[in-house]
Amino acid sequence: MGIATVFYLIGTGLYVFYKVQHAGNGVDDVAQDQIFMYFIAYQLPVGVTGIILAAIYAAAQSTISTGLNSVATSWTLDIQEVVAKDMSDKRRTRIAQIVSLIVGIFSIVVSIVMAHSDIKSAYEWFNGFMGLVLGLLGGIFVLGFLSKKANKYGAYVALVVSTVIMVFIKYVLPAEAVNFWAYSLISIVISLIVGYIVSIMTGNKVSAPKYTTIYDIPEILSDSSWEQRH
């Protein structure tokens, strides 16, 4: 996250330099999220450019590898293990390899589609997409964390309703109507309201598991302090 922030700040500074202070210098047609790469490719000495590009590609490969491993591990341990218990290590490894291959192929296809589409900024598109996905999942998490009355019916309905509304906002409303930075906040608020109302309507009488809501924090702290004293 720290390196990404540094790159973001450098890119922002280069955007201001080329687009604002030195407009009309031949880079007006360069996309916003490509100005940093333009600077590296055309404004630095050849040797320095090669070293920086090699470092960027190495970091990208490392990030891709980490992402594929995380997805494969999550699927194998959190989903496949529930569906088919008592799997051998060999079968788990095989499943993880297949999941990594599928996710890798899917990522390549998405990259090809994005490269040949009219997307003006891959950075904005990615943040808008993550705002949709993380906002929906985050809303369900916050619902269960803040309410003892939340149940699975409320979570299911909140997920469906939030998805429909966010798809409408992103693909039906004009692009300037809602900033993509607000996607996560909107979906979280919708999930909380809809999920809580549906949970109340379905008559949830089962309390949330222990140590799973914000109301359990005092008890968690008291238990921790008791264990430290003894």
Side-chain angles (χ1 to χ4, degrees):
M1 181 63 70
I3 297 178
T5 303
V6 171
F7 275 90
Y8 179 78
L9 293 176
I10 295 176
T12 303
L14 291 174
Y15 173 80
V16 175
F17 178 80
Y18 281 116
K19 294 288 187 176
V20 179
Q21 296 186 359
H22 295 76
N25 55 3
V27 298
D28 293 337
D29 56 343
V30 178
Q32 297 180 10
D33 56 348
Q34 296 178 8
I35 290 182
F36 195 7
M37 296 304 299
Y38 171 86
F39 174 79
I40 294 175
Y42 298 103
Q43 301 297 322
L44 294 178
V46 176
V48 177
T49 299
I51 293 175
I52 294 179
L53 290 178
I56 292 175
Y57 285 132
Q61 292 295 327
S62 175
T63 302
I64 293 173
S65 175
T66 301
L68 292 176
N69 290 334
S70 299
V71 173
T73 302
S74 298
W75 177 274
T76 304
L77 298 181
D78 299 334
I79 298 178
Q80 193 65 36
E81 187 71 21
V82 176
V83 176
K85 298 181 179 180
D86 300 328
M87 292 188 301
S88 63
D89 292 338
K90 183 178 180 180
R91 179 171 175 78
R92 291 193 186 96
T93 303
R94 185 60 177 172
I95 292 174
Q97 292 173 343
I98 295 174
V99 172
S100 298
L101 178 62
I102 294 175
V103 174
I105 294 175
F106 176 78
S107 302
I108 293 173
V109 172
V110 172
S111 300
I112 294 174
V113 172
M114 290 183 61
H116 293 81
S117 63
D118 57 350
I119 296 176
K120 296 181 179 180
S121 173
Y123 177 78
E124 292 185 3
W125 183 91
F126 177 77
N127 280 281
F129 175 77
M130 294 305 295
L132 289 175
V133 176
L134 297 181
L136 297 174
L137 299 179
I140 303 302
F141 172 80
V142 174
L143 173 65
F145 182 66
L146 295 181
S147 174
K148 285 189 174 183
K149 296 183 178 298
N151 59 17
K152 61 180 181 180
Y153 304 108
Y156 292 151
V157 175
L159 182 62
V160 173
V161 173
S162 298
T163 301
V164 172
I165 293 178
M166 295 310 301
V167 169
F168 175 81
I169 291 175
K170 181 173 177 61
Y171 296 104
V172 178
L173 294 181
E176 63 275 5
V178 180
N179 191 286
F180 67 90
W181 292 109
Y183 287 171
S184 295
L185 179 61
I186 294 174
S187 56
I188 289 175
V189 172
I190 294 173
S191 299
L192 282 175
I193 296 175
V194 174
Y196 186 79
I197 293 175
V198 173
S199 297
I200 297 297
M201 293 176 60
T202 52
N204 180 28
K205 297 181 180 180
V206 180
S207 59
K210 190 176 182 180
Y211 297 159
T212 58
T213 68
I214 192 174
Y215 306 100
D216 299 321
I217 292 179
E219 187 177 354
I220 295 174
L221 295 176
S222 63
D223 288 349
S224 300
S225 60
W226 186 89
E227 291 178 357
Q228 292 176 359
R229 291 195 302 268
H230 296 80

